[in-house]
Amino acid sequence: MKNTCKRLRKLLLATSILALSAAGVKAEPLKIAYSDWPGWTPWEIAIKKGWFEEAGVEVDFQWMDYVGSLDAYAAGKLDGCHMTNGDALVIGTDKPSVCILINDYSNGNDMFIAKEGFADVKSLKGKKVGLEEGFVPHLLVLRALEDNGMSEDDIEIVNTPTDQTPQVLKTGAVEAICAWQPSSGTALREVPGSKAIYTSKDCPGLIYDCLFVTPESLKERRDDWMKVVKVWYKVVDFMKNEDNIDEVLEILAGRVSVTPDEYEPFLAGTYILKLDEALPIWKEAEGLGSIYGSSKISDDFNVKYKVYEEPKKYSSYLDPSLTAEYAESVK
Amino acid sequence: MATRKQRESWFKVRGALNSYRSGILTAASFIVPFVIWCFFAYTPGLWDISHKLDVTTDLKNDEFSTIYRVDHVMEADRFGVFQQMVRDRNAEILTYQQSGGDLPEGVTVSSRANQKIIRKLHPVAVTTGWLNESQSTDNEAIYQLWKEIAEGNKDVPEEKISAENLEIIKQNWARMKVGGEIYDSATFPKEPLLHLIPDGERSVGRPSYLPSPGEVFTEGYKLFTGKSSLVEGSLGSRYIDSIIIVFMGFLIACLVGLPIGLLAGTFDFFAKLFEPFVDFFRYMPAPAFGTLLVFLLGSHDAPKMALVFLGTVCQAILMTANTTRQLDTGLLDAAQTLGAKKTDLVFKVVIPGIIHNLYNDLRILLGWAWTWLVIAELMGVKSGLTEVIDTQGRRFNFDIVYAVILLIGLTGFVTDQILARLQPILFPWASEEPGGGIAKITGWFSRLFGRNQVNASATPAIESTPNA
């Protein structure tokens, strides 16, 4: 009898643990990937300062390589992932991911870098260029070529992970690379005489960096994502306050393992958007001043260069409502 | 005694060297690679002369389009151009300061820019002991230092601050002190100050992938004390993370592998059932399952342990089975003759019979588990020591990379040596000779100092030296 009681109690315990863990699934933290782009490292400020706990949202920020994070996201392992508006169209998910937040636009940190002796894009005709095919550096290079009356056929692309481009340029296996900071800075430093011949500053608005989330997660946990948006603008306010600059630099530089002095120029190359600067970009319009226009240009590029066959319904990838709602709430 | 006097050959075919000689050779096996490293790192003339920056600048131009921080190395001729860039800018600022007019292009009126100028003295001040590492943004202390240097109250070694920079310090101070003797953000000058001229000691310009042993050990020390400016926090917690990954993976591999191996080695039934597949499976590279593991287990520690497990478990099964089979069948026959049951056979004969060999197998397996660490930690969210190796490697900070790689190597090696030394204690009946290389060296040293504690019987020759 005693034994049966014991067993029964054990069974009860086991089932209650199971039940608890099943309940726990619902309250699981939002799994969000971020990578070394200077527009996304600022999340580190919120993480370090405990602003997510303060806002009452549980998050699991996962630090990854950019392309690694896209893969993990496409494999369904994440609720949210930071990517450029162009890349969101490219990655292989069956349903459109939804952009709920525009972090920044690239303002020079994405660089097309050629080694000594190649002064401009035109001089690279017939040369090898190391870049990560199908992703944002590819887009920038195509744009650079087009601005110079050239096309993809004029260069030979060598598929290279972005974080390894400095090494590849240094070995001399390619004449040019395309990468973003901090990799682009490393390349400029380690390959004396190398120079940025075209950067995202030459086409501001071509690359918007955003937080994309899965449609399921947005539907089920919109309130939580709303809190994430709120935390982001707290981070932006903190960053834009001149008095905090040393603290900001220390946190951000630490995240990507450079010194604050090395990091400081990154701030200009990635234009972090304040709320009132982001709102006009969310308006539907032609051209690079709107994320819609920018995404359309990426879409056209992708179709033209056969990254994918059919044009995508890019507007279904964009959801301005959370930012708008937040703006309304702080008015 | 007479036989001792005859010089034994160092090259005896399949003959063991005495422990004195093997001690020397063991030491040499470490010293030779180290000497080779030192040779390439320190020999003058192998590499061009370069400058390792200790004063740098935030100025950029077409040629220097990125920031060079302290400790970056620049070839001598480029270094000259780099300095000239700053001198040219200073000349423009000087003209502006003296005669007014338009601001030179790229110069801003901001106290932030000037703060950054005066902070460039911080790294030098750390090497002279005037400031400590953590004061890099301590405006008050740095301001005070400028004052003291400018007013000649500091004994300034010339190799630390050039005469040229000393002059700049004095000129700037003349403008700074208008705002007060003590730093005050409100009165700190906004009008452009002069930039310190980049400086750096001449050194051998080794390629970045070949740091000197000195640099590697200094970085290693900084990493462990949490003083590195490039890696956040101290290495300790990352080190523990990595160790946990390896040991958990290894432990699970043992829990699964040992029983299966034991059964397969004892009963042909299990051997035929398991071994062919395991033999097949072990040729599939474990990292190939990386994406799958991340998909199944998430991106934190679980898939990493799983990779170590996958990479180790096949060897665990096969080695255990093989070791079990090597047990003297006479023992099994005898036990069966005495009426032992099958479970008794396994637990009372097989396991005690092979346990000391199994221990050796596990040592080898643990080494095997370590080899998967780096690949495992690169999966999903990078973690542990590997994140440092990976990130710092990309930034060409190979001094840090090597320090961490050495740490991993050392950990594996020391663990193995400790386990080897434990063997004769745990299994006295099976010990032939204690320990591996390190044991030999320590034994050798203790003998040198006349404290003869280690394995006296194995070294009769050296033993008798004092009497001879």
Side-chain angles (χ1 to χ4, degrees), chain A residues 62 65 75 77 246 264, chain B residues 112 116 119 295 299 382:
Chain A
Q62 305 191 356
D65 283 331
K77 297 309 292 174
D246 283 325
E264 193 158 350
Chain B
R112 169 78 187 159
K116 294 196 70 188
R119 285 176 190 177
F295 185 77
S299 38
K382 276 178 216 156

Side-chain angles (χ1 to χ4, degrees), chain B residues 27 56-57 81 90 139 203 256 305 309 313 374 377 395 410 428:
Chain B
T56 185
T57 179
V81 183
N90 276 351
N139 293 324
S203 62
V256 175
M305 293 172 188
F309 164 77
V313 71
V374 169
E377 284 189 326
R395 309 269 183 275
L410 214 62

Side-chain angles (χ1 to χ4, degrees), chain A residues 31 36 44 48 60-65 72 75-78 163-164 166-167 170 181-186 188-190 192-196 242 245-246 249-251 253-265, chain B residues 56 58 60 62-63 65-70 72 75 78 112 115-116 119-120 136-137 139 207-209 229-232 238 291 293-300 378 380-382 387 390-398:
Chain A
K31 292 200 276 293
D36 63 3
E44 199 67 15
K48 282 247 161 76
D60 172 14
F61 264 79
Q62 305 191 356
W63 180 254
M64 294 187 181
D65 283 331
K77 297 309 292 174
L78 299 164
D163 50 55
Q164 284 164 28
Q167 281 86 333
K170 192 166 177 157
Q181 289 281 22
S183 296
S184 49
T186 308
L188 289 171
R189 194 186 69 235
E190 286 297 325
S194 63
K195 216 163 81 174
E242 286 266 314
I245 180 125
D246 283 325
L249 285 175
E250 200 186 318
I251 296 175
R255 180 63 271 190
V256 292
S257 296
V258 298
T259 58
D261 279 350
E262 286 175 277
Y263 197 95
E264 193 158 350
Chain B
T56 185
D58 296 319
K60 295 196 277 184
D62 257 7
E63 195 168 344
S65 50
T66 193
I67 298 289
Y68 287 77
R69 69 171 156 76
V70 166
H72 274 148
E75 304 81 35
R78 260 172 77 74
R112 169 78 187 159
Q115 274 174 6
K116 294 196 70 188
R119 285 176 190 177
K120 292 289 173 283
S136 61
T137 57
N139 293 324
S208 48
Y209 56 81
S229 54
L230 295 168
V231 179
E232 287 200 303
R238 292 177 178 280
T291 321
L293 292 176
V294 171
F295 185 77
L296 291 176
L297 298 167
S299 38
H300 293 291
L378 281 178
V381 178
K382 276 178 216 156
E387 194 195 346
D390 190 60
T391 316
Q392 299 301 331
R394 289 175 194 184
R395 309 269 183 275
F396 289 74
N397 299 326
F398 287 100

